[in-house]
């Protein structure tokens, strides 16, 4: 194996798959499913997968470099030990989107998150992950008697999570634990003198109803005429924000491409809209060959171009 070879086989692209995802099909077997939120360099994800070959493990991470390093480590281990870590899959996406759209209710056995960002500044608390709504969402996706484990180095964050846990269907047990995971961030805190960390274990006792977020049906529009020089796009700001960045018009091919940034709740998507002439009519639609979730914001971006 070449020194820098990296297999992307464990990666899952959720955009083209039917949702919620059939995880049995993705792992090619039926087994208990454990999910790690923010797996960092994959130390714990890989260790758990080695120790429990009878279980499936899904890791969620947004940081591209960490994902690449984890994939390289998985590739190396699989090369040295054929068949190793075949029970690991990886998603590069915001965790909230994953649980909202990709999992059916009562489909996960265990969820764990080690040293999530505590967003310690007062003005940044809105970015914290384990809000009351998010805990209810996790409750719904966990199976009966499923559990969630969170470990944090920041005691005020531990208290905040406990405040958020009210009426989420969980019974919560807390304890102070010694370092034991050997993750990058745990080693960092140890180097700075911290030896004790704060563990929260959530045991599901009552099922909370949270529906899956569905894809929007995307509309295509037809215009009798189109003049690129007269097109004036107006941004939309609010709960759903659509910001138009630029337009490229190819007069010879009779095609315009418009770049929009669509933000709704915690999901931001870059989306291209095409205006193209076919059979003496102009068609307005999402451009082909791009990855996106067809949300209300994406539908609104197309509507705004058509209205303009």
């Amino acid at each position: 194996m070449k020194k820098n070879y990296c297999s992307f086989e464990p990666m899952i692209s959720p955009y083209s798959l039917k949702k919620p995802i059939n995880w049995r099909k993705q792992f090619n077997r039926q087994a208990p499913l454990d999910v790690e939120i923010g797996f960092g360099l994959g130390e714990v994800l890989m260790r758990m997968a080695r120790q429990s070959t009878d279980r499936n493990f899904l890791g969620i991470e947004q940081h591209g470099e960490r994902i690449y390093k984890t994939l390289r480590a998985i590739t190396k281990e699989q090369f040295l030990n054929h068949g190793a870590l075949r029970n690991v899959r990886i998603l590069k996406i915001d965790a909230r989107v994953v649980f909202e759209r990709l999992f059916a209710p009562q489909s996960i056995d265990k969820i764990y998150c080690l040293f999530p960002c505590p967003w310690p500044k007062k003005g940044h608390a809105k970015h914290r992950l384990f809000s009351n709504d998010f805990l209810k969402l996790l409750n719904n996706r966990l199976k009966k008697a499923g559990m969630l484990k969170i470990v944090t180095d920041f005691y005020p964050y531990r208290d905040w999570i406990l405040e958020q846990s009210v009426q989420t269907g969980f019974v919560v047990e807390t304890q102070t634990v010694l370092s034991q995971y050997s993750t990058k961030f745990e080693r960092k805190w140890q180097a700075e003198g911290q030896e004790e960390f704060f563990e929260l274990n959530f045991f599901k006792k009552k099922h909370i109803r949270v529906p899956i977020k569905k894809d929007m049906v995307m509309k295509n529009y037809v215009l009798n005429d189109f003049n690129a020089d007269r097109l004036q796009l107006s941004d939309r700001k609010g709960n759903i924000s659509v910001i138009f960045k630029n337009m490229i018009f190819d007069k010879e091919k009779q095609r315009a491409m418009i770049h929009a940034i669509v933000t709704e709740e915690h999901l931001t998507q870059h989306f291209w809209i095409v205006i193209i002439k076919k059979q003496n009519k102009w068609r307005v639609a999402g451009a082909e060959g791009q990855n996106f979730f067809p949300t209300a914001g994406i539908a609104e971006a197309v509507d705004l171009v058509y209205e303009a």
Side-chain angles (χ1 to χ4, degrees), residues 19-30:
K19 297 178 275 294
I21 290 176
N22 182 339
W23 295 103
R24 177 178 180 176
K25 185 176 181 180
Q26 293 303 313
F27 285 92
N28 299 312
R29 67 173 187 170
Q30 181 66 45

Side-chain angles (χ1 to χ4, degrees), residues 89-144:
R89 299 292 183 271
I90 288 174
L91 278 171
K92 184 181 186 298
I93 196 169
D94 187 289
R96 285 163 288 211
V97 177
V98 174
F99 292 103
E100 286 174 348
R101 296 178 176 274
L102 306 187
F103 284 107
Q106 301 187 78
S107 59
I108 307 170
D109 292 87
K110 182 178 179 180
I111 301 168
Y112 54 101
C113 184
L114 307 176
F115 309 106
C117 180
W119 293 97
K121 293 183 180 179
K122 186 175 180 180
H124 292 169
K126 62 183 179 181
H127 299 299
R128 288 175 173 172
L129 185 58
F130 294 98
S131 65
N132 184 267
D133 285 343
F134 188 62
L135 289 172
K136 289 177 179 176
L137 173 62
L138 298 185
N139 171 291
N140 179 270
R141 302 320 191 230
L142 281 166
K143 294 179 181 177
K144 184 179 180 181

